[in-house]
Amino acid sequence: MTKTRGREVDPRDRAFGQRVADLRRARGLTQQQLAAMLSNRTSGWMSQVERGIQPVRRMDVLNEIAAALGVSAQTLNPDAPLPAPVAEPAPVLSNDLDAAREVIAGHPALNALLGTAPADSVDLEALSSQVDEMWEQTHQANHPVVSDMVTELIPRLEQAVRTGPWSDRLRAYGLLSNAYQSLAAAFARQGDARAAWVAADRAITTAELADDPLLVCAGVFRMVHAFVRLGDKQEAERAARTAIQALEQRGDQSPEALSVLGSMHLAKALVHARCGQRAEAREELVNARRVAEQLGEDRNDYHLEFGPTNVAIQATSTAVELGDAGEAIDVAQTINAEALSPERQGRLLMDLGRAYAQRRQPIDAVDCLLRAERLSPDLVRNHAAVRAAIKEMVLVSGPNAPKDLMELADRTNAME
């Protein structure tokens, strides 16, 4: 057999081999170690791949090498087809927010609207404190507490905007919008996309009545996340894009405006990642990072928790969505999220756990998911992608599945 000469090597195979070699070295692996992570491969075979002598044409082999290196198949071979979108399992909704669903099932203040409610005095300071507390409970994913608060708070605010003094109406509408946004976030985190859509829509309407354009855009942010969970990615992308365009045309450079703008770029990155649009998702992350650098600190304007740290968290999440597990792990390990809410810390650990699951490292994956569960149990137990990852780990492990993994699968109903 005639030995393949260097000049006869296909340039595409040479480029592929170089990418494999670069990523292998970046991971601190030898050719022998990388080959040992694959099925029935030797260091000699790996050497030929890296020199371009051994082409890799089969998708199963390509996917195996990519998984071992912690990247997507498209990172190694840009011409490789994107995997078909996997339908997320339907959310398993708890009854923690049932009372809140009843509040938005009709008009929360018909008596005030029809003029049959007494014109009670309005204590906006007390209502403002309650809205802040509602947001605090939402960030901690304490959904039963949020639901209990909503049953009284939203009807009182709906009445306040109709019966209170005119001088207080704008502020009252702003508080009402914030309450609806908190509720939209709670519904979204529980997986109830339709209820999140209703709450976000009401948040946008009341924010406009409050004459607060940035609060309107924050409501659009909640709407984008509702659209994503509904699977309406085209509507989600359009909502994010139009908000970004409007904010950029306004040219407001205040910290509050930058927080909203950066958050919208992150929302748009999420949409593109869910669609498998790698270049577009990364472009939005670059845009968000530029805004975060301009902002210069982590803030919580409009309860968006935007800043350099949150951009890094979103970069981790985006890498997981795109199948770049190695990149997600590398980015996550540089993040110090201690100053952020338990919800944000839990979300980072969930994404890190999913990344380890993609790399077939179940011990590390379960450790991260258990830590996330301790911080925000409802968030973990109601997250469709986390349940899918847990189910896959159980199926791959078979009868040897660790006890912690099986108990986690039971708590999240992952096998249903």
Side-chain angles (χ1 to χ4, degrees):
M1 180 179 294
T2 303
K3 185 176 181 180
T4 302
R5 299 177 182 176
R7 66 175 181 275
E8 297 173 343
V9 172
D10 190 317
R12 292 172 299 179
D13 295 329
R14 183 181 290 111
F16 173 85
Q18 187 61 56
R19 281 192 289 272
V20 171
D22 290 343
L23 287 166
R24 173 181 60 77
R25 296 188 188 101
R27 298 289 183 271
L29 299 172
T30 65
Q31 289 178 340
Q32 184 176 8
Q33 289 171 329
L34 179 56
M37 299 169 69
L38 309 178
S39 301
N40 301 318
R41 302 297 178 183
T42 65
S43 58
W45 181 87
M46 185 57 59
S47 174
Q48 290 182 337
V49 167
E50 292 187 359
R51 286 182 287 152
I53 298 174
Q54 173 62 59
V56 175
R57 299 283 188 262
R58 288 170 44 188
M59 279 302 300
D60 60 335
V61 178
L62 176 62
N63 286 329
E64 191 176 18
I65 296 173
L69 291 171
V71 299
S72 66
Q74 292 72 33
T75 298
L76 293 180
N77 182 0
D79 295 329
L82 287 168
V86 178
E88 291 187 353
V92 180
L93 301 180
S94 70
N95 60 0
D96 291 344
L97 290 170
D98 279 355
R101 290 186 185 91
E102 292 181 5
V103 170
I104 65 170
H107 197 293
L110 277 178
N111 288 336
L113 182 65
L114 297 174
T116 58
D120 296 333
S121 60
V122 177
D123 186 347
L124 289 184
E125 294 302 326
L127 291 174
S128 178
S129 296
Q130 291 177 49
V131 172
D132 288 341
E133 176 61 21
M134 181 178 172
W135 264 116
E136 181 66 25
Q137 298 301 326
T138 297
H139 284 310
Q140 295 181 18
N142 290 333
H143 295 152
V145 177
V146 172
S147 196
D148 287 343
M149 294 187 69
V150 161
T151 57
E152 292 187 8
L153 180 56
I154 283 186
R156 287 179 62 194
L157 286 167
E158 288 279 9
Q159 182 168 330
V161 299
R162 291 170 174 84
T163 63
W166 280 103
S167 58
D168 292 338
R169 295 288 173 90
L170 290 182
R171 187 181 180 195
Y173 272 120
L175 292 174
L176 181 57
S177 177
N178 263 298
Y180 275 127
Q181 293 203 34
S182 175
L183 189 54
F187 279 133
R189 288 162 189 167
Q190 194 190 61
D192 192 342
R194 295 188 182 279
W197 187 93
V198 173
D201 185 61
R202 293 186 181 180
I204 292 170
T205 299
T206 48
E208 184 172 356
L209 292 170
D211 194 26
D212 190 338
L214 293 180
L215 189 58
V216 171
C217 290
V220 173
F221 175 88
R222 313 294 170 192
M223 182 71 79
V224 169
H225 282 266
F227 280 144
V228 169
R229 284 163 176 78
L230 283 168
D232 298 332
K233 297 183 178 67
Q234 184 175 353
E235 290 84 350
E237 191 279 334
R238 182 182 183 279
R241 171 167 40 86
T242 54
I244 289 171
Q245 290 172 348
L247 286 164
E248 289 178 341
Q249 289 173 4
R250 192 168 187 244
D252 187 348
Q253 298 296 303
S254 67
E256 295 80 7
L258 291 174
S259 291
V260 176
L261 175 60
S263 296
M264 292 307 307
H265 279 300
L266 291 183
K268 197 159 178 266
L270 170 65
V271 176
H272 288 308
R274 289 290 176 90
C275 295
Q277 297 168 330
R278 183 180 307 277
E280 293 85 349
R282 295 189 184 284
E283 180 181 358
E284 291 305 321
L285 284 174
V286 170
N287 291 334
R289 191 172 293 111
R290 183 178 63 251
V291 176
E293 290 172 354
Q294 188 175 354
L295 188 62
E297 60 178 334
D298 293 319
R299 296 173 61 92
N300 194 25
D301 301 302
Y302 297 99
H303 297 276
L304 294 171
E305 288 193 280
F306 179 77
T309 303
N310 201 42
V311 172
I313 291 175
Q314 186 68 43
T316 302
S317 180
T318 299
V320 173
E321 293 289 343
L322 294 172
D324 297 335
E327 178 183 341
I329 293 169
D330 289 345
V331 174
Q333 291 175 344
T334 69
I335 300 172
N336 182 356
E338 292 179 357
L340 299 183
S341 68
E343 185 270 334
R344 288 293 193 213
Q345 295 180 51
R347 186 168 295 278
L348 174 62
L349 285 167
M350 284 196 316
D351 288 332
L352 187 55
R354 290 173 60 200
Y356 280 126
Q358 288 178 4
R359 296 197 70 178
R360 299 292 191 267
Q361 296 177 235
I363 295 176
D364 293 322
V366 172
D367 176 66
C368 289
L369 294 177
L370 290 176
R371 288 161 60 197
E373 187 184 33
R374 287 193 290 272
L375 284 168
S376 190
D378 284 346
L379 183 65
V380 174
R381 295 169 190 176
N382 290 297
H383 198 286
V386 168
R387 294 203 314 278
I390 293 170
K391 181 176 182 179
E392 182 179 0
M393 284 191 290
V394 171
L395 294 176
V396 170
S397 300
N400 298 318
K403 180 182 177 181
D404 285 347
L405 175 59
M406 295 305 301
E407 291 175 346
L408 184 60
D410 287 340
R411 290 195 297 275
T412 56
N413 296 311
M415 306 309 293
E416 295 185 1

